[in-house]
Amino acid sequence: MNRVELALRTFFWIFFKKEFRDKIAPYFDYKRQIGVEEEAEEKAVPVVLPQEKKTRRSDAVGLLALLQREGRLVDFFKEPIDSYSDAQIGAAVRDVHKDCAAVLERVFDIIPLVEKEEGTQMPVLPGFDPDQIRLTGNVAGNPPYNGILRHCGWKANRCELPLWQGAEEAVNVVAPAEVELN
Amino acid sequence: MASKYAIGIDLGTTNCVLAYRTLEEENAEIKLLEVPQASAASTIENRYSLPSFCYLATEAESAAAAFSLPWDDNKDYAVGELARRQSADVPGRTVAAAKSWLAHSRVDRRDAILPWNAPEDVKKISPVEASRRYLRHLVDAWNNKFPQEPLALQQVVLTVPASFDASARELTMEAARLAGLPESLVLLEEPQAAVYAWLADVGDGWRKKLRLGDNLLVFDVGGGTTDFTLIGVEEENGELTLKRIAVGNHILVGGDNMDLTIAHVARNIFADKGINLDPWQSVALWHSCRAAKEHLLSEDGPQVYPVTILGRGSKLIGGTVTAELSAEQVKSILAEGFFPICKADAVPVRKSASGFRELGLAFESDAAVTRHLANFLRVQGQNGVSVQPSHVLFNGGVFKADIFKSRTLEAVKSWFGEDVESLEQNPDLDYSVARGASFYAFVKQGKGLRIRGGAARSYYVGIETSGPAVPGMERPLSALCVVPFGMEEGSQIDVPSEEIGLVVGEPAKFRFFSSSVRHQDTAGTIVERFNDTQIEETDSLEADLPADEKFTDMYVPVLFQSRITELGVFELWCRSTISDDSWKLEFSVRENQ
């Protein structure tokens, strides 16, 4: 389904399908009008784009720019490391790791998908979501299964990327060039 | 329209935070406002704190609208995260530590002097204007999020250091008004805000923690300043109450000084390896040392920690240099340098030439905060006997490292031979002042315990002693007490004194002094022959006396009347004794030295 089609369907479903409407409404903090009681308490409002004329850039470039700005991640991956000793690499990695981890924490608040210790028993019930649970090993028959949790999985608890509002020509700039004046 | 929120704003030396809670529920949660701010050119991010830095954009940057905000398209400056980063890369265009300048009575704080040492073509701004910009940004962020509940209509409390004197408080108030904070704005001392944050956490449980006669010491070490406050537990109508009994002087030493000290050590290690750092690397070193300090001082921290400066260009690993700092080294430098176990009668070293000097601000020559603490407890005591605190509440990011708490407790124990109890504080020390201020904005509606305090200092007007003038000799100056220590908000005092003659048609000007130790003086007390360890000079006061036909003499005899408004603002009036006129004296923040 392309995006135009999806948008149009969404548009009409809002009118004709109450169930869909109720599902969609929270995304727009739209409870009151559709009859869900709510006190006028605030919701986390994302930063509003000031004007439409500004260019929107890909979130992926935005994230890359953020990781480079705060954690030098692109510098790190773009540099050939074959000629360096492990100690040299290790010294640099510590900082890159610390700063990139801080970005991940702030932007995504990444938490384990399954709050269980890895290596312990894990039941898998019928109707499980294959997007959330991946089965490995001797997969046969139908659920319920009883397996061992090998990886707890990760989930982004939020996704708050910086808002970018630069010019069209700069839309793919991950890091500006730096020129020092004396 | 009635207020809906109780808002606390921490206007810090390095970070600003806004906390809020609803006024409608008794036990509402205190939340932090997410503040949208530029984190790079054309990039906006939400953060809980707004770094107190202001970057003054170049014309090209302004023209490209690189620092547009959701509520403002055309900014020729940026405050917050981007400005903090720029302070390292472009120091000549970045304002830092504006708050320390507000309390600096040797410069005109309404004059465009910042960034100090900026290049010629930079359009400098005043310390008041910088503060206004930080506050305005918070106001806009709030109004952007709550368009139905504008900040100007809420109950707002703004915090200031306890050691801010009347003129620094007034300048803060001025910046706040210009930024659009409400007329009803109340100032609260930061250490008291820390206590309110504690009260918000423990609730009524505080009555079990503190007993009648206890003395609570609030030990607040921020990025650039150290503040002491003593709070006593008293009884009133059978109920325990809290009263602020003393505050210390403004001490310009804080966590940043610690980081600089470690950086200095690390620089020498690099130098021994034959690596001389350039200015850019030095700033990176400072940040790296801050991280190293936090790791090395943490409880199960490593024995050694590498201080790394990444290569500057895109060659990250190739340009990286490393030095190893040992935990032992860092602990001993910081513990011995900043938190020595000194004697109870220790006096901070006063030396003008050395110490930390930067930005033209007068940093303390003695960085040992425990020595300042010993001094504070002694001068607040009587007959040479120091005040003994029973409890300590630590505040400020420095105390995330437990070693500084334990060193303080050890030092205090060595002075009194008894243990002092440390109160459990919410671990988020960076936000407690704003949270406490929000809680206070709530309780001041009559909904909970308030710390009683009144004026934190006594104030004096300088008057020349009468008597025959001796040629070539200045007449000796005496200090007339016009505001006694503890004078309550919402009260006024007619100061008993001899009549003072003001010249009609000329500005009347008075030298003005304050003291944090002379608690015994009452309004009208005249102090002769004082020195600056007891009474300090602050900004002078001025009033214009317009010529008027009804004054036939050259002089109008006046008496002083001092007032402290409900909002905690100090006013001094000259009241004519021969007519109904009175003139308000205003701080002249301009012409001191």
Side-chain angles (χ1 to χ4, degrees):
Chain A
M1 204 181 325
N2 70 30
R3 275 184 281 184
V4 176
E5 191 191 340
L6 182 65
L8 287 174
R9 277 208 193 179
T10 309
F11 181 79
F12 286 106
W13 277 29
I14 299 273
F15 288 99
F16 302 121
K17 303 200 176 206
K18 181 177 183 307
E19 203 183 270
F20 182 71
R21 199 156 59 218
D22 289 350
K23 270 191 181 156
I24 275 284
Y27 285 101
F28 298 97
D29 191 22
Y30 201 67
K31 292 184 194 153
R32 218 166 332 164
Q33 284 88 336
I34 54 166
V36 181
E37 278 298 316
E38 189 217 18
E39 44 180 327
E41 179 64 18
E42 76 291 346
K43 259 266 146 63
V45 186
V47 180
V48 202
L49 207 64
Q51 336 133 292
E52 290 306 318
K53 66 175 189 235
K54 301 275 185 183
T55 332
R56 191 82 216 227
R57 84 162 150 195
S58 143
D59 281 352
V61 176
L63 179 61
L64 212 50
L66 180 60
L67 287 165
Q68 163 65 15
R69 187 165 64 240
E70 297 198 15
R72 307 277 306 270
L73 191 72
V74 178
D75 287 343
F76 177 64
F77 283 130
K78 287 298 284 180
E79 189 170 12
I81 59 170
D82 291 348
S83 60
Y84 297 123
S85 71
D86 284 4
Q88 275 175 302
I89 297 169
V93 157
R94 224 179 253 280
D95 275 30
V96 175
H97 176 270
K98 168 175 67 93
D99 295 335
C100 289
V103 171
L104 286 191
E105 169 71 24
R106 200 178 68 237
V107 174
F108 297 111
D109 183 18
I110 294 181
I111 53 169
L113 186 57
V114 176
E115 302 265 355
K116 265 182 144 184
E117 204 164 314
E118 289 174 6
T120 57
Q121 294 280 327
M122 166 97 183
V124 178
L125 301 177
F128 73 93
D129 179 356
D131 285 341
Q132 299 193 43
I133 294 178
R134 190 169 81 94
L135 299 176
T136 62
N138 183 19
V139 184
N142 292 317
Y145 304 117
N146 203 0
I148 307 273
L149 180 67
R150 290 300 178 201
H151 191 298
C152 61
W154 297 114
K155 167 169 103 174
N157 217 13
R158 63 167 169 255
C159 178
E160 285 192 29
L161 277 172
L163 173 78
W164 188 80
Q165 43 184 10
E168 181 72 47
E169 307 78 62
V171 81
N172 287 324
V173 172
V174 175
E178 277 182 39
V179 180
E180 186 175 274
L181 307 181
N182 287 312
Chain B
M1 205 161 100
S3 309
K4 208 173 151 208
Y5 293 100
I7 296 174
I9 298 178
D10 174 5
L11 175 63
T13 315
T14 47
N15 276 300
C16 301
V17 181
L18 187 152
Y20 64 100
R21 54 161 287 159
T22 164
L23 283 165
E24 284 155 9
E25 290 162 53
E26 201 64 28
N27 294 311
E29 189 196 345
I30 300 174
K31 298 176 185 171
L32 299 172
L33 179 70
E34 284 191 308
V35 185
Q37 55 196 281
S39 59
S42 305
T43 307
I44 295 174
E45 261 184 88
N46 281 331
R47 301 280 175 102
Y48 285 125
S49 62
L50 178 75
S52 314
F53 293 83
C54 181
Y55 173 69
L56 307 171
T58 61
E59 271 175 35
E61 287 165 329
S62 312
F67 308 130
S68 294
L69 289 167
W71 51 81
D72 191 346
D73 240 4
N74 300 303
K75 279 237 186 286
D76 57 0
Y77 64 87
V79 298
E81 181 58 23
L82 171 127
R84 188 184 66 79
R85 291 172 159 270
Q86 292 293 78
S87 72
D89 292 341
V90 196
R93 304 192 79 95
T94 315
V95 177
K99 183 173 166 185
S100 303
W101 287 94
L102 272 188
H104 193 54
S105 66
R106 297 207 173 122
V107 295
D108 180 354
R109 281 139 292 159
R110 294 196 188 96
D111 198 16
I113 53 170
L114 300 179
W116 196 247
N117 297 335
E120 281 290 303
D121 66 312
V122 173
K123 233 175 91 194
K124 297 193 204 179
I125 59 172
S126 71
V128 171
E129 170 63 11
S131 309
R132 185 199 69 83
R133 289 182 182 183
Y134 307 144
L135 291 170
R136 182 72 220 179
H137 190 100
L138 294 176
V139 171
D140 287 335
W142 173 277
N143 291 347
N144 189 52
K145 179 164 180 174
F146 299 98
Q148 307 301 319
E149 309 286 343
L151 188 126
L153 297 178
Q154 311 308 314
Q155 297 296 320
V156 184
V157 169
L158 178 65
T159 61
V160 289
S163 49
F164 258 27
D165 64 15
S167 97
R169 291 170 69 109
E170 193 170 290
L171 289 164
T172 306
M173 205 60 148
E174 183 179 319
R177 291 273 160 73
L178 291 169
L181 271 70
E183 286 294 313
S184 62
L185 175 74
V186 174
L187 298 181
L188 175 69
E189 294 162 15
E190 284 157 14
Q192 286 195 45
V195 176
Y196 280 113
W198 178 71
L199 289 170
D201 288 340
V202 296
D204 264 348
W206 76 271
R207 286 168 215 277
K208 295 198 183 76
K209 301 258 183 198
L210 298 175
R211 286 202 311 257
L212 184 65
D214 279 349
N215 282 325
L216 168 60
L217 167 71
V218 187
F219 192 175
D220 183 2
V221 182
T225 54
T226 293
D227 243 339
F228 305 117
T229 289
L230 271 175
I231 292 186
V233 183
E234 304 187 343
E235 195 170 355
E236 200 172 77
N237 308 325
E239 287 263 314
L240 287 184
T241 60
L242 297 178
K243 186 176 178 193
R244 195 257 289 102
I245 47 182
V247 304
N249 286 331
H250 204 60
I251 301 170
L252 278 173
V253 59
D256 293 348
N257 302 95
M258 299 188 186
D259 300 337
L260 281 172
T261 308
I262 299 295
H264 185 73
V265 173
R267 181 196 294 273
N268 288 341
I269 299 176
F270 279 115
D272 289 345
K273 290 180 160 189
I275 304 167
N276 289 310
L277 305 177
D278 66 24
W280 183 87
Q281 287 176 310
S282 299
V283 174
L285 174 68
W286 180 8
H287 291 298
S288 187
C289 284
R290 173 170 302 174
K293 179 189 81 179
E294 276 160 20
H295 278 97
L296 289 169
L297 294 179
S298 65
E299 206 143 297
D300 311 312
Q303 282 309 304
V304 286
Y305 193 83
V307 176
T308 305
I309 304 171
L310 297 179
R312 183 167 190 185
S314 64
K315 296 280 175 293
L316 174 89
I317 302 166
T320 293
V321 291
T322 317
E324 287 204 328
L325 279 175
S326 78
E328 206 178 333
Q329 200 178 12
V330 168
K331 275 181 189 160
S332 77
I333 291 164
L334 294 184
E336 292 308 325
F338 291 86
F339 288 84
I341 309 293
C342 56
K343 292 254 164 53
D345 58 1
V347 178
V349 183
R350 284 191 154 205
K351 219 176 3 173
S352 52
S354 70
F356 302 99
R357 279 197 177 271
E358 201 191 328
L359 299 166
L361 277 171
F363 283 95
E364 290 312 312
S365 50
D366 193 342
V369 291
T370 42
R371 208 139 45 215
H372 287 284
L373 175 61
N375 189 56
F376 167 71
L377 293 174
R378 193 177 56 254
V379 297
Q380 295 300 340
Q382 277 174 357
N383 310 323
V385 181
S386 300
V387 183
Q388 180 178 353
S390 55
H391 297 77
V392 187
L393 183 67
F394 292 103
N395 193 49
V398 164
F399 290 113
K400 285 180 199 163
D402 281 329
I403 182 172
F404 298 132
K405 293 186 187 173
S406 55
R407 290 286 287 197
T408 307
L409 298 175
E410 192 186 330
V412 176
K413 186 178 180 184
S414 78
W415 301 335
F416 301 102
E418 272 178 57
D419 273 324
V420 50
E421 194 187 330
S422 164
L423 295 178
E424 282 291 322
Q425 170 82 302
N426 190 314
D428 238 343
L429 288 171
D430 292 330
Y431 304 126
S432 54
V433 166
R435 294 177 62 251
S438 166
F439 186 63
Y440 176 68
F442 170 70
V443 300
K444 80 182 174 61
Q445 312 294 311
K447 288 169 179 162
L449 173 82
R450 293 175 64 174
I451 303 167
R452 292 185 303 120
R457 312 172 143 244
S458 45
Y459 288 93
Y460 306 81
V461 168
I463 50 172
E464 281 173 8
T465 319
S466 52
V470 181
M473 288 269 287
E474 249 183 75
R475 289 192 181 192
L477 195 75
S478 298
L480 168 68
C481 179
V482 290
V483 173
F485 176 84
M487 179 173 167
E488 302 226 348
E489 283 94 13
S491 68
Q492 63 179 50
I493 295 177
D494 287 306
V495 181
S497 73
E498 288 180 19
E499 287 179 346
I500 289 133
L502 300 187
V503 183
V504 177
E506 270 183 27
K509 190 162 179 179
F510 294 94
R511 289 173 72 182
F512 195 54
F513 302 84
S514 75
S515 171
S516 60
V517 292
R518 296 189 61 96
H519 296 183
Q520 72 281 14
D521 293 343
T522 57
T525 301
I526 290 178
V527 188
E528 288 167 12
R529 285 188 300 279
F530 51 88
N531 59 36
D532 64 357
T533 57
Q534 281 219 322
I535 297 187
E536 292 175 284
E537 179 149 22
T538 169
D539 297 307
S540 54
L541 286 165
E542 240 176 9
D544 266 330
L545 254 68
D548 191 315
E549 284 170 6
K550 71 184 165 214
F551 301 123
T552 47
D553 275 344
M554 241 177 78
Y555 290 97
V556 187
V558 298
L559 290 172
F560 291 115
Q561 184 186 60
S562 52
R563 300 178 192 167
I564 297 181
T565 67
E566 287 291 350
L567 309 180
V569 179
F570 160 78
E571 291 177 0
L572 189 63
W573 293 75
C574 296
R575 286 160 57 101
S576 160
T577 56
I578 54 167
S579 67
D580 291 336
D581 296 283
S582 47
W583 299 274
K584 188 181 165 199
L585 289 164
E586 305 279 358
F587 283 108
S588 132
V589 295
R590 206 170 310 273
E591 287 157 30
N592 289 282
Q593 305 199 0

